[in-house]
Amino acid sequence: MSPTFAGLTIIAALFVLLGTGMPIAFALGLAAFLALFLQSGVGIFYVLGDTMFSGIANLAYVAIPMFVLMGAAVASSPAGADLYTSLDRWLNRVPGGLVLSNIGACGIFSGMTGSSPATCAAIGKMGIPEMLRRGYPTSVATGSIAAGGTLGILIPPSVTLIVYGIATETSIGRLFMAGVLPGIMLTFMFMMWAIIDCKRKGYDFNTRAMRFTMRERLAGLPRVLPFLLIIVGTLYVLYGGIATPSEAAGVGAMLTLFVVVIAYRLFRFRPIAGIFGSAMRESVMIMMIMAAAELFAFALSSLFITQTIAAAIADLEVNRWVLMGIINLFLLVAGMFLPPVAVIVMTAPMLFPIITQAGFDPYWFAIVLTINMEVGLITPPIGLNLFVINAIAPDVPTRDILWGALPYVLVMFLAILILCLFPDIATWLPNQMMGVVR
């Protein structure tokens, strides 16, 4: 069997399994197992467990459940509501202040969670009903939250960037810094489109503006500021070389839990158990996907599919930007069917030597790759954030959710183009903070 035919077969098998509704981790693992079993027979059982375990047996991955725990502590408490309410009160006089509050809350919440679904769910539960109550078009209300939720995998601390750093053996601290300015840029681009979309659909900002006194604005700050300080402190000890990502994540999770328990008096066993249970479920899901993706990558490599694709891309006698365009197209398609973590585990080791040989900065490429993965979160057929929004707002037609989110895909394409024209947006901050990589 040729590598091309084998590759098409295993991809087709994966799509069939995903089409049955099987969880992504199981679909990846089963497709890989079937391919390896047909190639090696029962001998595959001797390497099956070891291969999957090696995909997650890295001490640096401890940072993932810790950052997830940070997010769960905020999402499972009134902290998310306080953050959202505080932003709404400060932006109420700005045209479109509520939709800007939603996107801004998504950006800040991303810095607490590193997870797009968690960001989307936490802010969407509060933001969507409130926007609908104030008369915002349903497509604006749902689309802005779906897109804003994708910032969770770009703005540090990002689980996706942690996985990329481990897969490519690059500095996680530098990757986090590379995501700061692009994350801020994309947040403001989302805000600008949201305002344009509201005006385009005839929403009158002036007649619906809420009014709050300065006392009401200041009232929510004491509960919001500690979480912002935790984010700043976590990033400081990480970037300052004081702690490793795992240590910084552990301290951040502990401080977040402490603040949540004290500020909201969650002294009973049930709410605390709910926080740990939520974090455990999401962490196990991520780790299962990573383990299955490692087995899938092993299957692709064993069948010489990975090497064939890499060689074909490397042998293309084209301009390096044409090569980058082909890689972007490949990542976009992969991101539409697989979660970001799975795509990175499978493709980053293959693409890393190609992009570095072509003269691209690996940290800049990590940001471009991540924005490509963001696109996959709000595009069919998988579109995880679309499913989250659908669960939060079951009364809103799926068509409205989809059409509200799709324009933000074009905004992300524009962001990728801007990063290609001005790569310093991603590389300037890490170079200033940690020096230029030679």
Side-chain angles (χ1 to χ4, degrees), residues 393-408:
D395 295 334
V396 177
T398 304
R399 180 187 68 254
D400 289 353
I401 298 173
L402 181 60
W403 284 111
L406 284 181
Y408 290 93

Side-chain angles (χ1 to χ4, degrees), residues 78-93 97-98 100-102 104-105 108 126 134 212-225 228 264:
D82 284 347
L83 170 64
Y84 173 79
T85 302
S86 181
L87 278 173
D88 182 31
R89 290 178 179 179
W90 282 97
L91 296 174
N92 69 300
R93 300 301 297 273
L98 184 59
L100 298 186
S101 298
N102 282 308
I108 297 174
M126 300 165 289
R134 297 193 196 178
F212 298 98
T213 65
M214 182 57 67
R215 182 176 181 179
E216 289 175 321
R217 291 175 178 176
L218 295 174
L221 291 183
R223 286 188 171 181
V224 174
L225 289 178
L228 299 181
Y264 299 101

Side-chain angles (χ1 to χ4, degrees), residues 6 31 35 42 50 103 116 130 151 156 172 249 309 327 331 336 366 405 434:
V42 295
D50 184 62
I103 297 174
S116 285
E130 184 64 19
L151 296 169
I172 294 174
I309 294 174
I327 292 174
L331 291 172
M336 289 180 181
M434 302 180 71

Side-chain angles (χ1 to χ4, degrees), residues 59-68 162 245-246 249:
L59 187 60
Y61 281 143
V62 172
I64 293 177
M66 292 296 100
F67 282 128
V68 170
I162 293 173
S246 299

Side-chain angles (χ1 to χ4, degrees), residues 229-292:
L229 291 175
I230 289 173
I231 296 175
V232 174
T234 301
L235 298 181
Y236 172 75
V237 298
L238 180 60
Y239 298 156
I242 300 172
T244 65
S246 299
E247 293 166 346
V251 172
M254 182 189 70
L255 290 177
T256 303
L257 276 171
F258 180 77
V259 171
V260 165
V261 170
I262 298 299
Y264 299 101
R265 301 184 180 278
L266 302 180
F267 299 113
R268 296 183 179 180
F269 174 77
R270 186 180 295 274
I272 295 176
I275 291 173
F276 279 96
S278 175
M280 184 178 296
R281 283 191 296 272
E282 185 170 348
S283 299
V284 170
M285 178 191 71
I286 292 173
M287 291 299 182
M288 282 292 293
I289 290 174
M290 291 170 60

